[in-house]
Amino acid sequence: MTDETKRGENLPEGAHTDFSDSMSYGGYLRLTDLLSAQKPVSDAHDEMLFIVIHQATELWMKLIIHEIRAAMAALEGDAFGPAFKMLSRVARIQTQLIQSWSVLSTMTPADYLTFRDDLGRSSGFQSAQYREIEFLMGNKRRAMLAPFAETPAVHAHLLATLEGPSLYDVALEALKRNGFEVSDEVLRRDRTHPYQADDSVRKAWTSIYQKPDGHWELYELAEKLVDLEDSFQQWRFRHLETVKRIIGHRRGTGGTAGVGYLQHALSYVFFPELWDLRTEL
């Protein structure tokens, strides 16, 4: 072996190799636990893809929840700048999730059928984190707590989220604090139900859009919310198209109507006045 070859095998100067008294990369990220969490229940090649996509999605959703809750806390203190950064990050995360459906769509119907029956009744419909995101975004339906009745801690957490303010509730409170007329019926309504469009809110947002230079922070808040909903709906749409591509119109493993259920979900609008005013301006 030449000296040049030996030099090529050397570690980069200063690279640490002894972690007996310090944190390592694998230790910090707990990679032993993380990378041992993929447990296929069949011998099908494509099941690993299916597991990794869904586990990665759950990790991204964990970050979405972290950012939305932090953005809500910032908005409650009129700290608009930090809130904008967090909401922008959520929209970027959604971009990653949208692209992940493209990876999953490389699995054909024949591939999926090699392990579909082994999944039992497990389904993304039972994702507690997805349900939390829906509740935080304002799509609140008490019936959606039912799949979590057997896990008391998860059920209690989701119930608290259902009963608490949504991101849009916090935004509307910010409108009120900053001098805009927002109906008390809106601010004091039963928050366990989906939000319904209100004329006072529509007028407030319309005034902001008519004179954005005079209300720049609220104007930017409105656009961040539109960006967020736009990304969320693209995510839902790509989910719908991927399911349609792989299982057609068959029922989902969780018992829902599959494509039909996902199509219905696309019809819900989180921030209706922000879309309505585009026609009215």
Side-chain angles (χ1 to χ4, degrees), residues 14-274:
H16 293 291
T17 58
D18 182 1
F19 305 102
S20 56
D21 296 319
S22 62
M23 181 77 73
S24 69
Y25 175 80
Y28 175 65
L29 295 178
R30 301 195 178 187
L31 291 182
T32 299
D33 296 331
L34 183 65
L35 298 179
S36 63
Q38 296 73 47
K39 306 287 187 184
V41 294
S42 76
D43 295 328
H45 174 80
D46 279 47
E47 191 185 353
M48 182 61 75
L49 164 66
F50 192 79
I51 291 172
V52 169
I53 288 290
H54 286 83
Q55 287 185 341
T57 296
E58 289 290 334
L59 286 174
W60 280 123
M61 288 196 293
K62 183 172 185 176
L63 184 55
I64 286 174
I65 292 167
H66 175 74
E67 297 296 339
I68 289 179
R69 288 193 178 276
M72 290 170 64
L75 288 174
E76 287 172 343
D78 286 337
F80 290 99
F84 295 158
K85 179 179 180 180
M86 295 161 188
L87 294 177
S88 293
R89 182 173 292 165
V90 173
R92 297 290 183 89
I93 295 168
Q94 292 281 16
T95 300
Q96 297 296 316
L97 291 173
I98 291 165
Q99 290 302 314
S100 73
W101 293 123
S102 297
V103 180
L104 188 60
S105 68
T106 62
M107 184 171 63
T108 69
D111 295 331
Y112 184 47
L113 288 174
T114 60
F115 66 90
R116 186 179 194 265
D117 289 344
D118 296 300
L119 300 179
R121 295 180 178 177
S122 62
S123 166
F125 179 74
Q126 299 146 17
S127 169
Q129 290 198 124
Y130 177 78
R131 195 58 54 203
E132 183 174 356
I133 293 169
E134 286 266 357
F135 287 175
L136 289 172
M137 292 281 285
N139 188 9
K140 296 186 177 184
R141 289 176 286 169
R142 187 177 293 273
M144 293 301 181
L145 294 173
F148 311 102
E150 295 183 1
T151 49
V154 173
H155 186 276
H157 179 74
L158 287 176
L159 177 60
T161 306
L162 177 77
E163 295 174 341
S166 69
L167 172 61
Y168 201 41
D169 290 326
V170 173
L172 298 184
E173 289 168 353
L175 285 182
K176 183 78 169 182
R177 283 196 308 275
N178 284 272
F180 288 88
E181 293 295 330
V182 177
S183 169
D184 286 340
E185 292 181 0
V186 170
L187 297 178
R188 298 174 183 173
R189 75 186 193 286
D190 182 352
R191 289 174 169 173
T192 64
H193 295 287
Y195 176 81
Q196 300 294 323
D198 178 82
D199 285 340
S200 68
V201 174
R202 185 179 292 108
K203 290 176 182 177
W205 286 125
T206 300
S207 296
I208 290 166
Y209 272 77
Q210 288 172 335
K211 296 181 179 179
D213 289 343
H215 314 288
W216 190 261
E217 288 183 325
L218 293 173
Y219 176 66
E220 188 170 357
L221 171 60
E223 285 298 291
K224 294 298 183 186
L225 293 175
V226 170
D227 285 345
L228 185 58
E229 178 158 356
D230 190 5
S231 297
F232 199 92
Q233 293 291 55
Q234 289 184 56
W235 178 30
R236 283 172 156 176
F237 179 75
R238 286 296 296 130
H239 184 191
L240 165 67
E241 291 299 303
T242 302
V243 170
K244 188 188 301 183
R245 176 171 177 162
I246 295 174
I247 69 168
H249 290 269
R250 296 179 64 175
R251 282 197 169 271
T253 49
T256 68
V259 166
Y261 169 75
L262 296 173
Q263 285 175 329
H264 179 72
L266 276 170
S267 67
Y268 184 80
V269 179
F270 295 108
F271 317 126
E273 297 91 354
L274 294 177

